[in-house]
Amino acid sequence: MKKVGILVLISILHVIHSSRDTLVKLTNNGYEDIIIAINPKIPENKMIIENIKKMVKEASSYMLQATENRVFIRSAKILLPNTWASNSTYGRPKTESYDKADIIIADPFISGDFPYTLQYGGCGERGKYIHLTPNFILNDKLLPIYGPRGRVFVHEWAHLRWGVFDEYNEDIPFYISKQGNVEATRCPLNLGGVNKVDVCLGTKCEKADCEIDPLTGVFEDECAFYPNVDRDVHESVMYGQALDPVHAFCNEQSHNKEAPNQHNRLCNQKSTWEIIMNSPDMKTSAPLTNTNIPDPTFDLLQYKDRVVTLVLDVSGSMGTNDRISRLYQASEVYIMQIVESGSHVGIVVFSTDAIVKSELVKIVDTFQREQLKQLLPKGATGGTNICAGVRKGLEVNKKLDSSTYGTEIVLLTDGEDANIVSCNDEVKASGAIIHTIALGTSADKGLEGLADITGGLKLYASDNVDANGLIDSFSGIKSGSGDVIQQSVQIESTATTIQPSKCLTGKVTIDNTVGNDTFFLVTWISIIPSIEIKDPKGKEYKNDQFASDAISKSARLTIPGTAEKGDWEYNLCNSHSAEQVLGLTVNSRAADSNVPPIIAETYMNADTSSFPSPMIVYATVTQGLAPVLHAKVTAYIEPQNGNVITLPLLDNGAGADIIKNDGIYSRFFTAFNGNGRYNLKVRVESHEKDSKATIPKSRVLYLPGYVENGVLVSNPPKPKITIEDLNLGNFSRTAAGGAFVVSNVPSGPLPDVFKPSRITDLGAEFQDQIVVLSWTATGDDEDKGNATSYDLRMSLNSTTLVDDFEKGTPVNISSLAPSQSGLREEFRFTPHNTTIKNGTIFYFALVAIDKVDQKSEPSNVARAALFLPRSSANGVLGTGNALILTLLMTIVAFHL
């Protein structure tokens, strides 16, 4: 806003999960079993259920129209928290859970009711979930701001299911077209409108035509675009779903390739409809001839108490490599500290046959935990009958209320069983979830199949005790109810070989979001070490304060109440005459029921890979769904045969990471070391006090208003998003990411088959009459190492570079030696043999080449333009002969 005679500057700060398969099915053009989960912190309100139903019904017909009669919604499941009153009409979830939901209904940690979708993959790849707030579901005053809920649902579904991106850009709302016009960033370009800014005198404001900013060449910062309600323009759902005439996606004919938006950058200037039509959904869905579709049906499912039975292998092979002791150690941690209070826990052991060691016991306090701990197995003998263990575990789970629906089994084995598939049908019919832990190199390859059937976790731990893998695996098995306040958060997990009289030392930070039920677990191989823990106030805890267990070779210190915030120093000294592995695990729970803890999660882009297909590691760091930025995130990948591979993950919007500063940290993984299972773990640290929580990206566009029949209609003011000091201070987290399986890796040195990853953040601008290009360096193997050289091309037509990079005019860039992957590159040159004048636009694309002449895919197309503003009747400010140089479409500017 600007006042007459007074320049008022108002700056608005725009700051911005293993890849599990969705349970959604597409059958005969209809989506079935969409999961919509309500967070347990939301108070009971039946209108939420009713409005969800209305939204999905509206979305179904709108989706059918927008996809040219191809797909609609046939059914959805609404998961209700057990904090709501029970009802005889509510069903019981089977494998459906909050952490597998397609749509999450939850309050935002940072205020704001903007719908958004968490997308971590590239163009055409599915996202993780849609987040809608309860206020968005209930408050009709938000409808003019974001549009009808069903339309918003389809906009977000296109992100989630079909992998397209927004066609607007809140950070670059305007750009200059090839024709020299200032245009709103939108699609289609023929969607007309007016550009207005509020001019206020006292408390009275009027809308005036926007003025050109002489420094940028586009409209002033507070200018807003008001689109026309044009009954002849039906595109685009990814821009203006709130506009009543819009009921289609931009296609090849209507797509605005010039718009500086994420979709053009990530999808190589292809239209949203082209990407959607290339999806598996559309390839298998011919247009319906009968468009009289049924209304969606809904199942209301409500969580019950958590039921989980440990099904543990005690066959003879578990006696090797100290596996039975490690099983006892890790399952003891799970029972004593990890599993949530209120859960019902049972224990089954199996070898040739299966035996119930404990029927279900409800965890109320430490007494029940100790009771279960005493029943954990300590010896190993016999064969391996996995299905016997699974069947017995299901029997135990069924005894609570005569149903196994939604119950869980934690299945751990190190052995093979030729008959493992014999119980697949029973497992599928049970409606139970089986989490599998493969221990060692010979665990049955069918384990992952049991997890796949039931939607369980797939975990792996090697015999390398330095990796702490078994404890980490158990620590990662948490309730799928969505109640993060009750979940145990792993703060630290480390283990290493320590020489005699040497010490394992370090610091563990208890941050402001955790502190309750905090424990320090020290583990060893031979003899208990000398232990010293010092809290931030200097209080010391030594061996006498720890409860030690000679069987599990562990000692635990439980901190009463809420642990002191700050750095806890530890000093674990090897008192044995020989080297031994010493380990430290620290877990805690939320300190305040109203403040969600910082959570780290990690996963791969796929559960299996066949060499030479590269894989991608992802990690998300969040606080109550709000992304956490500027953390140091490191992945540790342990092959079945070989040493742990360390891989720093980045949130820089380059390589595998598609969007900068969105709290998703990514990297390609190509350092394969043999076939078999690999284990993934990440460590997240913030020691520079610069990590902060922020609002998510890819938010639904707020339209300030529209023009209908020549009349400008203003929407309610955009809701203010107040971001206070959300610096999170020092913290650390570790998280297990489960197992993935790699095949067809050749023996011996790997051939050089990985080309450099595509550059996606190429930017260009004029400085004087010099073109300045900048981008993030790619690598030799995807985003690892250094490329050898670059091939830079330019053109006066962007289509030339998109359709056939080789037809672009080469630019000599041989003087630039590629930097290390992840670093910023800059190249300057003066165009020769071409006329540069006002309005000249150059387009650029870049290819990276490795040492064996493998080439990356061409980069995004960047454009730089030279323009000279002209004075005009509406008050454009110009400087006559001065050249104003601007970047019209640079990914540097809008690549976030």
Side-chain angles (χ1 to χ4, degrees):
M1 186 179 297
K2 60 185 181 182
K3 290 190 176 183
V4 175
I6 302 176
L7 179 61
V8 179
L9 297 178
I10 299 177
S11 63
I12 301 176
L13 181 63
H14 289 283
V15 288
I16 25 173
H17 244 151
S18 133
S19 175
R20 300 191 184 111
D21 290 336
T22 178
L23 299 180
V24 176
K25 300 184 290 290
L26 179 61
T27 306
N28 296 328
N29 300 81
Y31 288 112
E32 300 176 342
D33 299 338
I34 295 173
I35 300 177
I36 304 171
I38 300 174
N39 189 278
K41 297 291 287 183
I42 296 176
E44 183 169 1
N45 186 336
K46 297 296 178 62
M47 282 305 301
I48 292 178
I49 299 174
E50 294 307 310
N51 282 5
I52 288 174
K53 291 179 177 180
K54 291 177 183 177
M55 173 181 68
V56 174
K57 180 180 178 181
E58 179 185 309
S60 180
S61 58
Y62 187 62
M63 183 184 296
L64 186 70
Q65 185 180 28
T67 59
E68 299 180 1
N69 300 328
R70 284 175 170 81
V71 292
F72 63 97
I73 300 172
R74 181 175 281 115
S75 67
K77 297 177 178 180
I78 303 175
L79 301 190
L80 308 176
N82 61 9
T83 53
W84 289 24
S86 59
N87 188 306
S88 60
T89 63
Y90 298 163
R92 181 169 177 170
K94 297 180 183 178
T95 58
E96 304 89 354
S97 59
Y98 185 93
D99 58 349
K100 299 186 188 75
D102 305 289
I103 296 94
I104 294 172
I105 313 296
D107 283 314
F109 178 58
I110 299 175
S111 62
D113 290 302
F114 39 81
Y116 72 90
T117 300
L118 183 67
Q119 289 179 273
Y120 51 83
C123 184
E125 297 185 30
R126 293 176 182 171
K128 188 162 180 64
Y129 59 75
I130 297 168
H131 175 212
L132 305 175
T133 69
N135 193 44
F136 172 81
I137 294 294
L138 295 171
N139 188 354
D140 289 347
K141 292 182 180 179
L142 296 177
L143 298 183
I145 296 175
Y146 302 114
R149 296 185 186 96
R151 289 167 168 259
V152 172
F153 185 103
V154 174
H155 174 99
E156 297 303 326
W157 188 260
H159 285 307
L160 179 74
R161 186 75 182 186
W162 304 319
V164 299
F165 296 85
D166 291 323
E167 294 176 319
Y168 45 84
N169 190 330
E170 292 185 347
D171 296 291
I172 303 182
F174 297 98
Y175 69 100
I176 301 177
S177 72
K178 191 173 182 180
Q179 289 72 33
N181 302 319
V182 179
E183 298 286 358
T185 302
R186 67 193 189 281
C187 189
L189 192 59
N190 66 346
L191 178 63
V194 298
N195 306 294
K196 298 290 183 179
V197 64
D198 286 332
V199 178
C200 299
L201 182 61
T203 59
K204 184 178 180 181
C205 297
E206 294 183 354
K207 297 194 182 299
D209 290 337
C210 297
E211 297 178 353
I212 297 292
D213 185 329
L215 297 179
T216 65
V218 295
F219 292 127
E220 53 199 306
D221 286 343
E222 297 168 48
C223 183
F225 177 66
Y226 294 78
N228 292 332
V229 177
D230 189 335
R231 301 298 168 184
D232 295 326
V233 178
H234 301 147
E235 300 93 351
S236 172
V237 173
M238 299 314 293
Y239 173 76
Q241 79 286 332
L243 299 174
D244 182 54
V246 171
H247 60 253
F249 293 92
C250 272
N251 56 29
E252 190 173 3
Q253 288 72 41
S254 59
H255 179 57
N256 181 6
K257 295 182 179 181
E258 289 189 312
N261 55 40
Q262 295 285 22
H263 186 81
N264 275 331
R265 178 176 72 86
L266 295 170
C267 294
N268 209 24
Q269 298 188 359
K270 297 290 185 181
S271 70
T272 54
W273 185 240
E274 289 175 273
I275 302 303
I276 291 170
M277 284 300 293
N278 196 45
S279 70
D281 289 356
M282 298 305 168
K283 288 181 176 180
T284 58
S285 301
L288 294 171
T289 54
N290 180 5
T291 59
N292 186 24
I293 58 174
D295 287 342
T297 60
F298 298 90
D299 290 325
L300 300 182
L301 308 176
Q302 186 174 37
Y303 293 109
K304 304 296 183 182
D305 286 350
R306 189 181 187 197
V307 175
V308 55
T309 293
L310 304 184
V311 177
L312 308 174
D313 187 351
V314 294
S315 63
S317 57
M318 288 293 293
T320 63
N321 295 311
D322 204 30
R323 288 173 184 168
I324 195 68
S325 296
R326 292 176 59 217
L327 178 153
Y328 181 95
Q329 183 186 78
S331 53
E332 189 259 5
V333 171
Y334 183 75
I335 287 172
M336 294 300 298
Q337 303 290 163
I338 305 301
V339 69
E340 298 84 0
S341 292
S343 301
H344 301 261
V345 180
I347 301 174
V348 167
V349 297
F350 70 93
S351 54
T352 305
D353 295 305
I355 301 172
V356 177
K357 298 290 287 185
S358 175
E359 300 289 357
L360 294 174
V361 173
K362 186 172 183 177
I363 304 296
V364 179
D365 52 32
T366 304
F367 176 80
Q368 293 83 25
R369 296 181 189 271
E370 289 283 356
Q371 178 185 352
L372 288 165
K373 171 186 171 181
Q374 300 304 318
L375 298 173
L376 289 171
K378 305 175 182 67
T381 186
T384 304
N385 189 337
I386 294 173
C387 277
V390 169
R391 291 186 180 105
K392 192 66 71 173
L394 292 174
E395 288 177 16
V396 171
N397 285 356
K398 191 173 183 178
K399 290 181 180 180
L400 181 65
D401 61 3
S402 302
S403 174
T404 54
Y405 283 6
T407 65
E408 298 170 71
I409 283 176
V410 177
L411 171 64
L412 181 148
T413 183
D414 73 337
E416 294 180 288
D417 181 357
N419 296 315
I420 189 172
V421 297
S422 64
C423 55
N424 280 3
D425 290 342
E426 298 166 67
V427 165
K428 187 173 183 180
S430 73
I433 300 168
I434 299 182
H435 310 295
T436 60
I437 303 176
L439 178 58
T441 59
S442 300
D444 200 285
K445 293 179 174 60
L447 277 180
E448 284 79 9
L450 290 173
D452 281 334
I453 291 171
T454 65
L457 298 173
K458 290 169 276 191
L459 303 161
Y460 162 67
S462 72
D463 288 320
N464 176 13
V465 291
D466 288 26
N468 232 20
L470 201 52
I471 290 177
D472 293 340
S473 292
F474 272 98
S475 296
I477 303 172
K478 301 173 184 177
S479 168
S481 69
D483 191 355
V484 297
I485 300 299
Q486 299 299 321
Q487 292 177 356
S488 184
V489 178
Q490 194 172 62
I491 308 299
E492 179 62 272
S493 173
T494 185
T496 190
T497 301
I498 302 297
Q499 298 299 317
S501 302
K502 299 297 183 182
C503 302
L504 174 62
T505 62
K507 294 180 180 180
V508 175
T509 301
I510 302 298
D511 59 89
N512 292 329
T513 70
V514 293
N516 287 349
D517 198 17
T518 303
F519 74 90
F520 290 74
L521 182 78
V522 176
T523 57
W524 60 88
I525 297 298
S526 303
I527 295 177
I528 186 171
S530 171
I531 304 172
E532 182 180 296
I533 305 287
K534 185 182 296 185
D535 78 7
K537 291 186 175 180
K539 182 178 179 179
E540 294 185 349
Y541 300 86
K542 297 188 177 182
N543 290 56
D544 290 345
Q545 282 82 43
F546 279 74
S548 60
D549 186 321
I551 298 174
S552 66
K553 297 177 182 177
S554 64
R556 175 182 289 101
L557 172 67
T558 301
I559 307 301
T562 302
E564 289 286 343
K565 304 296 186 287
D567 292 335
W568 291 62
E569 299 178 0
Y570 62 87
N571 196 39
L572 314 178
C573 296
N574 184 11
S575 53
H576 190 38
S577 59
E579 68 178 24
Q580 66 171 332
V581 173
L582 301 181
L584 178 71
T585 302
V586 183
N587 278 54
S588 189
R589 298 186 201 269
D592 186 334
S593 61
N594 296 313
V595 179
I598 299 167
I599 297 293
E601 294 182 288
T602 185
Y603 37 88
M604 304 295 296
N605 67 314
D607 295 326
T608 60
S609 177
S610 177
F611 186 88
S613 296
M615 300 193 74
I616 302 176
V617 187
Y618 297 107
T620 58
V621 187
T622 57
Q623 185 180 14
L625 298 181
V628 173
L629 310 184
H630 312 313
K632 178 184 178 183
V633 183
T634 307
Y636 299 91
I637 301 170
E638 183 185 14
Q640 189 162 302
N641 299 302
N643 297 322
V644 174
I645 299 157
T646 301
L647 185 66
L649 305 184
L650 303 174
D651 186 14
N652 64 348
D657 192 69
I658 62 168
I659 298 176
K660 185 177 182 179
N661 288 340
D662 63 353
I664 303 174
Y665 300 76
S666 319
R667 202 76 181 274
F668 282 103
F669 174 64
T670 59
F672 298 107
N673 187 350
N675 296 309
R677 295 183 175 99
Y678 286 59
N679 181 56
L680 170 64
K681 170 183 172 179
V682 297
R683 178 177 175 82
V684 179
E685 301 174 87
S686 175
H687 293 306
E688 301 300 326
K689 297 185 178 180
D690 58 353
S691 294
K692 61 181 180 180
T694 186
I695 57 177
K697 292 204 167 185
S698 301
R699 304 179 295 275
V700 166
L701 178 66
Y702 160 79
L703 282 177
Y706 54 91
V707 178
E708 187 168 18
N709 298 323
V711 178
L712 191 150
V713 180
S714 293
N715 278 331
K718 183 177 182 179
K720 298 292 184 183
I721 300 174
T722 302
I723 302 178
E724 299 175 355
D725 182 9
L726 292 174
N727 188 296
L728 300 176
N730 292 352
F731 69 87
S732 64
R733 297 288 186 272
T734 61
F740 60 97
V741 179
V742 177
S743 60
N744 295 324
V745 178
S747 58
L750 295 182
D752 191 345
V753 294
F754 298 108
K755 62 186 180 182
S757 61
R758 178 177 180 251
I759 294 165
T760 58
D761 64 349
L762 178 65
E765 64 176 330
F766 272 106
Q767 292 181 5
D768 295 326
Q769 296 199 32
I770 296 174
V771 175
V772 180
L773 300 167
S774 59
W775 65 95
T776 301
T778 184
D780 180 271
D781 296 333
E782 298 293 350
D783 55 8
K784 178 183 177 182
N786 296 59
T788 300
S789 61
Y790 292 117
D791 183 358
L792 175 63
R793 305 279 172 141
M794 63 180 288
S795 175
L796 295 175
N797 189 326
S798 66
T799 304
T800 299
L801 297 174
V802 172
D803 293 344
D804 190 347
F805 173 81
E806 300 291 339
K807 288 185 178 180
T809 301
V811 177
N812 188 350
I813 195 175
S814 60
S815 61
L816 180 66
S819 299
Q820 178 75 23
S821 172
L823 298 180
R824 292 297 294 170
E825 301 271 44
E826 184 178 282
F827 178 69
R828 297 168 175 261
F829 77 102
T830 301
H832 296 292
N833 302 321
T834 186
T835 301
I836 302 177
K837 59 183 180 179
N838 185 38
T840 296
I841 297 179
F842 289 138
Y843 298 91
F844 300 92
L846 188 66
V847 162
I849 305 170
D850 70 8
K851 59 179 175 290
V852 294
D853 290 331
Q854 295 179 117
K855 297 182 178 181
S856 71
E857 297 299 319
S859 71
N860 62 286
V861 175
R863 51 184 281 191
L866 178 66
F867 81 99
L868 177 62
R870 298 178 298 275
S871 59
S872 63
N874 67 349
V876 175
L877 301 178
T879 57
N881 296 324
L883 290 178
I884 307 297
L885 310 172
T886 191
L887 170 63
L888 298 184
M889 181 178 175
T890 70
I891 307 307
V892 166
F894 70 83
H895 172 59
L896 302 171

